Amino acid sequence: MTRLSIYARQRIHQLLFQGAANSEIVHTLNEEGIVTSRQTVWRLKQHIITHRTIQPLPKSGRPSVLTTEILDLIDKAMQLNDETTANELVLLFQYMGITISRSAALKGRHLLGWSSRGAAYCQLIRAQNKEKRVQWALENLGASFEDVIWSDETTVQLDTHRRFCCRKKRQKPRYKPRPKHPIKVHVWAAISWRGATNVCVFEGIMNAELYVNILDNFLVPFVQAVYPHGHKFMQDNDPKHTSRRSREFFEDKGINWWRTPPESPDANPIENMWHELKEFIRREVKPMTKAQLVEGILQFWQTVSVSKCRKYIGHLRKVIPRIIEVNGEATGY
């Protein structure tokens, strides 16, 4: 049988108890990052039926230092602080009068299903804004958002490589050249259930006057053409967006500013569109000059169809219940 971690054995046992088929278990585990096969699942199932345990049978030779008690202590330490290193685990056990090597700590952590990965960063959300996020989510649970125009700006830089790549073991990585100060441009756009505005590419620092000018040239014509009978305009709470100049512009042009909670990028579906744009620049365009970068942005925006906009806006059906479930914390979306 393929060597399985304790966590993998527990998950397989749990899924078997729920009545899942072997192929369904393999698919579920693969989505969780655990690679296994139907044959391995079947063998563990027979092992459980025969021996009434998910644990491997004891083998001959010196008993493992990783007893159940040691593994429980490792798991509790990792639950308390997921940044705990193997060396820190060794010191923790020394403080408790238990001798364990670094390799044993690493092995125990692996058996329990803990793996070292890059930290998953998210938006910092303050306590008062968590309450506002939950209130907003409750008010909009089940909404279709067909009349909402979601806007935002982002920065796109000269980038010709993905952040991750593969290499064979015992081979040096291929070096990816990157300029110390890459060329950058800024992008503003908006999407809605009925399609997207034109995209605006600009340079320099955006202030309230520049922002109003962009809205006058890109948002107002879109509203007049696509939403003549009413709309809601969503923007984040950046000071230039909420300035007196911007508010006066909204009133003069009949823009219905729809307020949303602060520190909530996961509640704006255009953020996912920006991610796709930047991946397109890295993987497909690979620009070497500013002109190529701008051309790549315009080329991508031509692919932003009504169906693509609706796909990202429809993603809110997952995000909003999650905001309520986690009491306003970051959802990871």
Side-chain angles (χ1 to χ4, degrees):
M1 184 191 303
T2 304
R3 189 180 185 91
L4 293 170
S5 68
I6 294 174
Y7 172 77
R9 290 171 177 269
Q10 291 171 341
R11 283 292 289 139
I12 293 173
H13 182 251
Q14 181 184 33
L15 293 168
L16 285 171
F17 183 78
Q18 294 172 356
N22 294 353
S23 57
E24 294 174 339
I25 294 173
V26 171
H27 179 71
T28 301
L29 293 180
N30 285 341
E31 288 184 341
E32 296 177 5
I34 302 172
V35 179
T36 187
S37 64
R38 285 183 295 176
Q39 185 179 28
T40 299
V41 172
W42 180 84
R43 288 180 177 177
L44 180 60
K45 182 178 180 180
Q46 299 305 311
H47 177 85
I48 294 171
I49 293 172
T50 303
H51 302 288
R52 303 293 181 180
T53 180
I54 63 171
Q55 302 290 348
L57 297 178
K59 299 179 180 179
S60 60
R62 186 178 64 180
S64 173
V65 69
L66 295 173
T67 62
T68 303
E69 292 77 12
I70 295 293
L71 291 173
D72 287 342
L73 290 172
I74 293 175
D75 197 43
K76 288 178 181 178
M78 297 305 301
Q79 292 286 355
L80 287 173
N81 182 7
D82 61 5
E83 297 179 5
T84 303
T85 65
N87 289 333
E88 289 171 340
L89 288 173
V90 172
L91 293 174
L92 175 64
F93 281 111
Q94 286 180 357
Y95 179 78
M96 300 169 63
I98 302 172
T99 302
I100 185 174
S101 67
R102 181 178 180 276
S103 60
L106 284 170
K107 182 179 179 181
R109 199 167 63 177
H110 174 73
L111 288 173
L112 291 165
W114 291 95
S115 60
S116 179
R117 295 290 185 272
Y121 293 100
C122 64
Q123 176 73 30
L124 177 64
I125 303 173
R126 291 168 288 183
Q128 64 268 29
N129 290 330
K130 293 176 185 177
E131 297 177 4
K132 295 178 182 178
R133 281 165 55 82
V134 172
Q135 182 62 36
W136 178 85
L138 290 170
E139 292 173 355
N140 292 280
L141 189 64
S144 63
F145 303 109
E146 293 185 10
D147 59 346
V148 180
I149 302 171
W150 309 87
S151 74
D152 193 28
E153 58 269 354
T154 190
T155 299
V156 185
Q157 68 180 27
L158 213 64
D159 207 348
T160 56
H161 304 290
R162 297 194 69 190
R163 295 182 180 180
F164 301 97
C165 63
C166 298
R167 64 184 177 95
K168 287 187 175 182
K169 292 181 179 180
R170 295 180 294 277
Q171 284 189 0
K172 291 183 178 181
R174 296 179 183 176
Y175 292 104
K176 312 278 184 166
R178 185 176 64 178
K180 184 176 182 180
H181 301 291
I183 296 172
K184 299 178 182 179
V185 296
H186 309 296
V187 180
W188 180 94
I191 63 173
S192 74
W193 194 257
R194 301 178 187 176
T197 67
N198 290 329
V199 63
C200 175
V201 182
F202 62 97
E203 296 181 71
I205 299 175
M206 175 185 279
N207 54 26
E209 196 61 40
L210 175 58
Y211 181 60
V212 165
N213 185 54
I214 290 173
L215 295 184
D216 198 24
N217 287 282
F218 291 86
L219 175 65
V220 173
F222 179 79
V223 171
Q224 293 172 346
V226 182
Y227 284 96
H229 304 299
H231 68 280
K232 297 176 183 176
F233 174 61
M234 183 275 171
Q235 60 175 3
D236 61 32
N237 293 278
D238 188 287
K240 57 182 170 287
H241 297 169
T242 60
S243 66
R244 182 172 61 182
R245 179 71 180 92
S246 297
R247 295 197 304 270
E248 290 173 351
F249 174 82
F250 295 153
E251 186 174 350
D252 292 342
K253 298 294 184 177
I255 301 299
N256 180 23
W257 175 23
W258 184 53
R259 290 169 172 80
T260 52
E263 299 174 345
S264 300
D266 52 354
N268 189 352
I270 200 173
E271 295 286 354
N272 292 323
M273 188 76 78
W274 295 147
H275 175 75
E276 185 180 345
L277 164 63
K278 292 172 184 179
E279 281 295 294
F280 178 81
I281 295 297
R282 292 188 194 105
R283 301 185 66 176
E284 304 295 335
V285 181
K286 298 184 181 297
M288 300 301 293
T289 65
K290 183 168 68 175
Q292 292 174 350
L293 176 61
V294 174
E295 179 61 30
I297 294 170
L298 298 177
Q299 180 184 348
F300 170 81
W301 206 252
Q302 292 176 358
T303 70
V304 180
S305 61
V306 172
S307 60
K308 181 177 287 190
C309 293
R310 291 184 177 184
K311 180 186 76 171
Y312 285 124
I313 294 170
H315 185 61
L316 289 171
R317 289 192 294 267
K318 294 182 179 180
V319 177
I320 291 177
R322 182 62 179 166
I323 291 175
I324 299 171
E325 182 183 344
V326 298
N327 296 317
E329 295 277 2
T331 61
Y333 288 118

